[in-house]
CSV table of all heavy atoms in Angstrom, one decimal:
chain,number,residue,atom,x,y,z
B,10,THR,N,-20.8,-11.6,-1.2
B,10,THR,CA,-20.7,-10.3,-0.6
B,10,THR,C,-19.2,-10.1,-0.2
B,10,THR,O,-18.6,-11.0,0.3
B,10,THR,CB,-21.5,-10.3,0.7
B,10,THR,OG1,-22.8,-10.7,0.4
B,10,THR,CG2,-21.6,-8.9,1.3
B,17,PRO,N,-24.8,-7.5,-0.9
B,17,PRO,CA,-24.0,-8.4,-1.8
B,17,PRO,C,-23.7,-7.8,-3.1
B,17,PRO,O,-24.5,-7.0,-3.7
B,17,PRO,CB,-25.0,-9.6,-2.0
B,17,PRO,CG,-26.3,-9.1,-1.5
B,17,PRO,CD,-26.1,-7.9,-0.6
B,38,ASN,N,-20.6,1.0,-14.0
B,38,ASN,CA,-19.5,0.8,-13.0
B,38,ASN,C,-20.0,0.3,-11.7
B,38,ASN,O,-21.0,0.8,-11.2
B,38,ASN,CB,-18.7,2.1,-12.8
B,38,ASN,CG,-17.4,2.2,-13.6
B,38,ASN,OD1,-16.8,1.2,-14.0
B,38,ASN,ND2,-17.0,3.5,-13.9
B,42,LYS,N,-19.8,-6.8,-12.7
B,42,LYS,CA,-19.1,-7.5,-13.8
B,42,LYS,C,-17.8,-8.1,-13.4
B,42,LYS,O,-17.5,-9.3,-13.6
B,42,LYS,CB,-18.8,-6.6,-15.0
B,42,LYS,CG,-20.0,-5.9,-15.6
B,42,LYS,CD,-19.7,-5.2,-16.9
B,42,LYS,CE,-18.7,-4.0,-16.8
B,42,LYS,NZ,-19.2,-2.8,-16.1
B,48,LEU,N,-15.3,-14.6,-9.7
B,48,LEU,CA,-16.0,-15.8,-9.2
B,48,LEU,C,-15.7,-16.9,-10.2
B,48,LEU,O,-15.4,-18.1,-9.8
B,48,LEU,CB,-17.5,-15.6,-9.1
B,48,LEU,CG,-17.9,-14.8,-7.8
B,48,LEU,CD1,-19.4,-14.3,-8.0
B,48,LEU,CD2,-17.8,-15.6,-6.6
B,72,LYS,N,-6.0,-28.0,-5.5
B,72,LYS,CA,-6.0,-28.8,-6.7
B,72,LYS,C,-7.0,-28.4,-7.7
B,72,LYS,O,-6.8,-28.1,-8.8
B,72,LYS,CB,-6.1,-30.3,-6.3
B,72,LYS,CG,-6.2,-31.3,-7.4
B,72,LYS,CD,-4.9,-31.6,-8.0
B,72,LYS,CE,-5.0,-32.6,-9.1
B,72,LYS,NZ,-5.7,-32.0,-10.2
B,73,SER,N,-8.3,-28.4,-7.2
B,73,SER,CA,-9.4,-28.0,-8.1
B,73,SER,C,-9.2,-26.6,-8.7
B,73,SER,O,-9.5,-26.4,-9.9
B,73,SER,CB,-10.8,-28.1,-7.5
B,73,SER,OG,-10.8,-29.1,-6.6
B,78,ARG,N,-8.2,-22.8,-13.0
B,78,ARG,CA,-7.6,-21.6,-13.5
B,78,ARG,C,-6.8,-21.9,-14.8
B,78,ARG,O,-6.4,-20.9,-15.5
B,78,ARG,CB,-6.7,-21.0,-12.4
B,78,ARG,CG,-7.6,-20.3,-11.4
B,78,ARG,CD,-6.8,-19.9,-10.2
B,78,ARG,NE,-7.8,-19.4,-9.1
B,78,ARG,CZ,-7.5,-19.4,-7.9
B,78,ARG,NH1,-6.3,-19.8,-7.4
B,78,ARG,NH2,-8.4,-19.0,-7.0
B,85,PHE,N,-6.9,-9.2,-16.4
B,85,PHE,CA,-7.4,-8.1,-15.6
B,85,PHE,C,-7.5,-6.8,-16.4
B,85,PHE,O,-6.9,-6.6,-17.4
B,85,PHE,CB,-6.5,-7.9,-14.4
B,85,PHE,CG,-6.6,-9.0,-13.4
B,85,PHE,CD1,-6.3,-10.3,-13.7
B,85,PHE,CD2,-7.0,-8.7,-12.1
B,85,PHE,CE1,-6.4,-11.3,-12.7
B,85,PHE,CE2,-7.2,-9.7,-11.1
B,85,PHE,CZ,-6.8,-11.0,-11.5
B,86,GLN,N,-8.3,-5.9,-15.8
B,86,GLN,CA,-8.5,-4.6,-16.5
B,86,GLN,C,-7.2,-3.8,-16.6
B,86,GLN,O,-6.9,-3.3,-17.7
B,86,GLN,CB,-9.5,-3.8,-15.7
B,86,GLN,CG,-9.6,-2.3,-16.1
B,86,GLN,CD,-10.7,-1.6,-15.5
B,86,GLN,OE1,-11.5,-2.1,-14.7
B,86,GLN,NE2,-10.9,-0.3,-15.9
B,95,THR,N,9.5,-9.8,-13.8
B,95,THR,CA,10.5,-8.8,-14.1
B,95,THR,C,10.5,-8.5,-15.6
B,95,THR,O,10.4,-7.3,-16.0
B,95,THR,CB,11.8,-9.2,-13.6
B,95,THR,OG1,11.7,-9.7,-12.3
B,95,THR,CG2,12.8,-8.0,-13.6
B,96,THR,N,10.7,-9.5,-16.4
B,96,THR,CA,10.8,-9.3,-17.9
B,96,THR,C,9.6,-9.9,-18.5
B,96,THR,O,8.9,-10.7,-17.9
B,96,THR,CB,12.1,-9.9,-18.4
B,96,THR,OG1,12.1,-11.3,-18.2
B,96,THR,CG2,13.3,-9.3,-17.8
B,97,VAL,N,9.4,-9.6,-19.8
B,97,VAL,CA,8.3,-10.2,-20.5
B,97,VAL,C,8.3,-11.7,-20.5
B,97,VAL,O,7.3,-12.3,-20.2
B,97,VAL,CB,8.3,-9.6,-22.0
B,97,VAL,CG1,7.3,-10.4,-22.8
B,97,VAL,CG2,8.1,-8.2,-22.0
B,98,ILE,N,9.5,-12.3,-20.8
B,98,ILE,CA,9.5,-13.7,-20.9
B,98,ILE,C,9.3,-14.4,-19.5
B,98,ILE,O,8.6,-15.4,-19.4
B,98,ILE,CB,10.9,-14.2,-21.5
B,98,ILE,CG1,10.8,-15.6,-22.0
B,98,ILE,CG2,12.0,-14.0,-20.6
B,98,ILE,CD1,11.8,-16.0,-23.0
B,103,TYR,N,5.5,-17.3,-15.9
B,103,TYR,CA,5.1,-17.4,-14.5
B,103,TYR,C,4.0,-18.5,-14.2
B,103,TYR,O,4.2,-19.3,-13.3
B,103,TYR,CB,4.5,-16.0,-14.0
B,103,TYR,CG,4.0,-16.0,-12.6
B,103,TYR,CD1,4.9,-15.9,-11.5
B,103,TYR,CD2,2.6,-16.1,-12.3
B,103,TYR,CE1,4.4,-15.9,-10.2
B,103,TYR,CE2,2.2,-16.1,-11.0
B,103,TYR,CZ,3.1,-16.0,-10.0
B,103,TYR,OH,2.6,-16.0,-8.7
B,116,ARG,N,10.0,-24.2,-22.7
B,116,ARG,CA,10.6,-23.4,-23.8
B,116,ARG,C,9.6,-23.3,-25.0
B,116,ARG,O,9.4,-22.3,-25.6
B,116,ARG,CB,11.9,-24.1,-24.2
B,116,ARG,CG,12.7,-23.3,-25.3
B,116,ARG,CD,13.9,-24.1,-25.8
B,116,ARG,NE,14.6,-24.7,-24.7
B,116,ARG,CZ,15.5,-24.1,-23.9
B,116,ARG,NH1,15.8,-22.9,-24.2
B,116,ARG,NH2,16.1,-24.8,-23.0
B,123,LEU,N,5.1,-16.2,-27.4
B,123,LEU,CA,5.8,-14.9,-27.8
B,123,LEU,C,5.6,-14.6,-29.3
B,123,LEU,O,5.3,-13.5,-29.7
B,123,LEU,CB,7.3,-15.1,-27.5
B,123,LEU,CG,7.8,-14.9,-26.0
B,123,LEU,CD1,9.2,-15.2,-25.9
B,123,LEU,CD2,7.5,-13.5,-25.5
B,131,LEU,N,10.6,-8.3,-27.7
B,131,LEU,CA,10.5,-7.6,-26.4
B,131,LEU,C,10.8,-8.6,-25.3
B,131,LEU,O,10.8,-8.3,-24.1
B,131,LEU,CB,9.1,-7.1,-26.2
B,131,LEU,CG,8.7,-5.9,-27.1
B,131,LEU,CD1,7.2,-5.6,-26.8
B,131,LEU,CD2,9.6,-4.7,-26.8
B,168,TYR,N,-7.7,2.1,-21.6
B,168,TYR,CA,-6.3,2.6,-21.8
B,168,TYR,C,-5.8,2.5,-23.2
B,168,TYR,O,-4.7,3.0,-23.4
B,168,TYR,CB,-5.3,1.9,-20.9
B,168,TYR,CG,-5.8,1.7,-19.4
B,168,TYR,CD1,-6.3,0.5,-19.0
B,168,TYR,CD2,-5.6,2.7,-18.5
B,168,TYR,CE1,-6.7,0.3,-17.7
B,168,TYR,CE2,-6.0,2.5,-17.2
B,168,TYR,CZ,-6.5,1.3,-16.8
B,168,TYR,OH,-6.9,1.1,-15.5
B,169,LEU,N,-6.5,1.9,-24.1
B,169,LEU,CA,-5.9,1.7,-25.4
B,169,LEU,C,-6.3,2.8,-26.4
B,169,LEU,O,-7.4,3.3,-26.3
B,169,LEU,CB,-6.4,0.3,-26.0
B,169,LEU,CG,-5.9,-0.9,-25.2
B,169,LEU,CD1,-6.3,-2.2,-26.0
B,169,LEU,CD2,-4.5,-0.9,-24.9
B,175,ARG,N,-8.0,-1.7,-32.5
B,175,ARG,CA,-8.1,-2.6,-33.7
B,175,ARG,C,-7.2,-3.8,-33.6
B,175,ARG,O,-7.5,-4.9,-34.0
B,175,ARG,CB,-7.9,-1.8,-34.9
B,175,ARG,CG,-9.1,-1.0,-35.4
B,175,ARG,CD,-9.0,-0.5,-36.8
B,175,ARG,NE,-7.9,0.6,-36.8
B,175,ARG,CZ,-8.1,1.8,-36.5
B,175,ARG,NH1,-9.3,2.3,-36.2
B,175,ARG,NH2,-7.1,2.7,-36.5
B,180,MET,N,-6.3,-9.7,-32.4
B,180,MET,CA,-5.8,-10.7,-31.5
B,180,MET,C,-7.0,-11.6,-31.0
B,180,MET,O,-6.8,-12.8,-31.0
B,180,MET,CB,-5.3,-10.0,-30.2
B,180,MET,CG,-3.8,-10.2,-29.9
B,180,MET,SD,-3.4,-9.5,-28.4
B,180,MET,CE,-3.3,-7.8,-28.7
B,189,THR,N,-10.8,-21.2,-28.5
B,189,THR,CA,-11.1,-20.7,-27.2
B,189,THR,C,-12.3,-19.8,-27.2
B,189,THR,O,-12.5,-18.9,-28.0
B,189,THR,CB,-9.9,-19.8,-26.7
B,189,THR,OG1,-8.7,-20.6,-26.7
B,189,THR,CG2,-10.1,-19.3,-25.3
B,210,VAL,N,-26.6,-8.2,-19.9
B,210,VAL,CA,-26.6,-6.9,-19.2
B,210,VAL,C,-26.6,-7.2,-17.7
B,210,VAL,O,-27.4,-8.0,-17.2
B,210,VAL,CB,-27.9,-6.1,-19.5
B,210,VAL,CG1,-27.8,-4.8,-18.8
B,210,VAL,CG2,-28.0,-5.9,-21.0
B,219,GLU,N,-30.3,-11.0,-21.5
B,219,GLU,CA,-29.3,-11.4,-22.4
B,219,GLU,C,-29.9,-11.7,-23.7
B,219,GLU,O,-31.0,-12.2,-23.8
B,219,GLU,CB,-28.4,-12.6,-21.9
B,219,GLU,CG,-29.2,-13.8,-21.4
B,219,GLU,CD,-28.2,-14.9,-20.9
B,219,GLU,OE1,-27.1,-15.1,-21.5
B,219,GLU,OE2,-28.5,-15.5,-19.9
B,250,HIS,N,-33.4,1.7,-41.3
B,250,HIS,CA,-33.6,0.3,-41.8
B,250,HIS,C,-34.4,0.1,-43.0
B,250,HIS,O,-34.0,-0.7,-43.9
B,250,HIS,CB,-34.1,-0.6,-40.6
B,250,HIS,CG,-33.8,-2.0,-40.8
B,250,HIS,ND1,-32.5,-2.4,-40.9
B,250,HIS,CD2,-34.6,-3.1,-41.0
B,250,HIS,CE1,-32.5,-3.7,-41.1
B,250,HIS,NE2,-33.7,-4.2,-41.1
B,265,PHE,N,-15.9,0.9,-43.3
B,265,PHE,CA,-14.8,1.9,-43.3
B,265,PHE,C,-14.2,2.0,-41.9
B,265,PHE,O,-13.0,2.0,-41.7
B,265,PHE,CB,-15.4,3.3,-43.7
B,265,PHE,CG,-14.3,4.4,-43.6
B,265,PHE,CD1,-13.3,4.4,-44.5
B,265,PHE,CD2,-14.5,5.3,-42.6
B,265,PHE,CE1,-12.4,5.5,-44.4
B,265,PHE,CE2,-13.5,6.4,-42.6
B,265,PHE,CZ,-12.5,6.4,-43.5
Side-chain angles (χ1 to χ4, degrees):
Chain B
T10 311
N38 259 333
K42 298 191 296 290
L48 283 165
K72 174 81 182 63
S73 324
R78 286 172 190 155
F85 287 63
Q86 168 170 3
T95 312
T96 60
V97 170
I98 196 162
Y103 177 81
R116 184 188 317 276
L123 282 172
L131 295 172
Y168 315 99
L169 299 186
R175 277 194 295 274
M180 240 188 286
T189 303
V210 183
E219 53 183 320
H250 201 59
F265 176 72

